[in-house]
């Protein structure tokens, strides 16, 4: 003899149905954020759906899958530097290979994270110097010297600045008047 389940045992309560419908609406919003490329907000929304609906296994699994997709999209590319020092070392490597534009980009990324670092400023100034861009080189060197006055001596002896040795701004920077020095 087969037993019949009661309606209350098989049917979801109105509150459960409303919660599920709300979760589906939130899922739709999160999906639109993902499609727009707003991975951080999409990840947050998918995670909230998973955390707030533990009884909905399929929905939790799908939200978890999309959370993982967002994590992958938000993660830095493999081998992509993260810290200012990593950007600095990559910039120096690119400079040594003669890839000056790429070196400037890398050193610029280091400076975005640490804008007053004399080491990063000096490195970018030297690349500008190798390119013969005296104006940008002197601007970075001036900032570097403010942070570390010994950099002035380094600039005097660094062959990377050879193309701009006769530039008035460079001369003024490396040969300060007694009142400045």
């Amino acid at each position: 003899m087969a037993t019949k389940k009661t309606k209350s045992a098989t049917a979801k309560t109105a509150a459960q149905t409303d919660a599920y419908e709300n979760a589906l609406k939130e899922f739709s919003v999160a999906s639109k954020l993902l499609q727009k490329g707003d991975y951080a907000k999409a990840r947050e929304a998918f995670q909230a759906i998973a955390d707030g609906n533990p009884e909905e296994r399929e929905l939790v699994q799908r939200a978890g899958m999309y959370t993982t997709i967002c994590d992958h999209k938000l993660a830095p590319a493999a081998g992509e530097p993260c810290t200012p020092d990593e950007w600095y070392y990559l910039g120096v490597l690119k400079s040594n290979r003669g890839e000056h534009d790429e070196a400037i980009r890398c050193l610029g990324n280091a400076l975005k994270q640490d804008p007053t670092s004399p080491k990063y400023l000096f490195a970018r100034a030297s690349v500008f110097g190798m390119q013969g861009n005296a104006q940008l080189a002197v601007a970075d060197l001036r900032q570097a010297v403010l942070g570390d006055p010994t950099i002035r001596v380094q600039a005097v002896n660094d062959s990377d600045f050879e193309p701009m040795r006769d530039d008035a701004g460079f001369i003024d920077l490396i040969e300060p008047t007694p009142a400045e020095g």
Side-chain angles (χ1 to χ4, degrees):
M1 174 188 244
T3 59
K4 290 186 181 180
K5 292 185 179 181
T6 63
K7 274 190 172 183
S8 63
T10 58
K12 288 186 176 183
T13 66
Q16 288 173 320
T17 303
D18 288 345
Y20 183 72
E21 291 298 320
N22 286 336
L24 288 178
K25 288 177 187 173
E26 292 170 11
F27 197 92
S28 176
V29 170
S31 296
K32 287 177 183 169
L33 290 168
L34 180 66
Q35 289 171 349
K36 288 181 184 176
D38 193 345
Y39 303 115
K41 287 183 181 176
R43 187 203 184 289
E44 188 177 306
F46 284 122
Q47 189 62 53
I49 293 165
D51 293 345
N53 299 282
E55 69 285 348
E56 299 294 342
R57 254 181 63 190
E58 186 177 326
L59 190 62
V60 169
Q61 287 175 341
R62 285 187 182 180
M65 178 184 70
Y66 285 113
T67 300
T68 301
I69 290 170
C70 292
D71 287 341
H72 286 291
K73 294 288 188 178
L74 291 168
E80 184 82 358
C82 295
T83 67
D85 272 344
E86 289 171 350
W87 281 111
Y88 166 78
Y89 291 120
L90 182 59
V92 170
L93 176 70
K94 297 291 185 180
S95 176
N96 290 338
R97 289 181 178 167
E99 300 172 27
H100 297 142
D101 291 338
E102 189 62 19
I104 289 168
R105 183 188 74 81
C106 292
L107 294 165
N109 284 331
L111 285 161
K112 282 180 188 173
Q113 295 180 45
D114 189 356
T116 61
S117 168
K119 175 172 81 171
Y120 306 153
L121 287 161
F122 179 82
R124 190 171 69 175
S126 72
V127 178
F128 285 138
M130 287 185 281
Q131 289 182 320
N133 191 335
Q135 184 178 6
L136 292 175
V138 168
D140 276 357
L141 267 177
R142 193 173 309 285
Q143 291 298 316
V145 168
L146 286 173
D148 180 0
T150 64
I151 285 181
R152 179 178 280 130
V153 176
Q154 283 180 272
V156 169
N157 297 309
D158 194 321
S159 63
D160 293 344
F161 297 107
E162 207 55 48
M164 52 184 273
R165 293 269 178 224
D166 295 331
D167 180 81
F170 183 74
I171 293 168
D172 287 347
L173 183 62
I174 63 169
E175 297 176 9
T177 61
E180 294 177 57

